[in-house]
Amino acid sequence: MNHLFKARSADRDAEADFSRTESVFLSIEKALKITEAEHSGLDTRMQDVLARGAISLGNATDEYLTREPADTIVQNQFDREIQIGQLRLEQLSLQINAFKFLRAALLSRFPDFFKTQILATNNARHSDTRSETY
């Protein structure tokens, strides 16, 4: 009877479980890093544009009365682009929060994976340190 069925070893099962969980974890981490990078870059550009826009807009209360029509058109386009950028920043913030939630949910459902990740990260750091000192 034993030759008809044999279960895999616990180590092999653990490796398979780890591999599946790692795949999901790495996908979430990659998406999170890409989204955070896009948010950071766009936020920096938006801050720069807003600072330059304030200068080009002027600070007099009746500035819009003496502005050339061509300048008004450019300023309106500028405003639309800023609105689009701000909307994108909001979307990216929501995505970042969602990815962080997914990561937290994954780690709460697979606590052994998280412990293994910490050990692997610590071992990698220590091995890098050891190779630098020799």
Side-chain angles (χ1 to χ4, degrees), residues 13-78:
D13 285 343
E15 286 176 22
D17 295 345
F18 181 85
S19 177
R20 284 188 294 271
T21 306
E22 182 181 41
S23 174
V24 174
F25 179 79
L26 292 175
S27 294
I28 292 170
E29 285 297 299
K30 181 179 178 182
L32 179 59
K33 285 181 197 283
I34 290 169
T35 307
E36 286 174 335
E38 182 180 348
H39 185 278
S40 177
L42 179 57
D43 188 51
T44 300
R45 291 192 314 275
M46 288 291 294
Q47 296 303 322
D48 183 53
V49 165
L50 289 171
R52 285 186 287 133
I55 293 169
S56 70
L57 191 59
N59 59 3
T61 56
D62 60 351
E63 184 96 23
Y64 67 95
L65 295 173
T66 59
R67 187 180 300 139
E68 295 292 324
D71 291 337
T72 299
I73 291 170
V74 169
Q75 196 63 44
N76 289 341
Q77 290 172 338
F78 188 67

Side-chain angles (χ1 to χ4, degrees), residues 105-122:
L106 179 71
L107 295 176
S108 72
R109 298 289 187 204
F110 298 93
D112 291 340
F113 171 77
F114 184 61
K115 290 174 193 170
T116 306
Q117 278 295 104
I118 290 173
L119 289 173
T121 302
N122 288 341

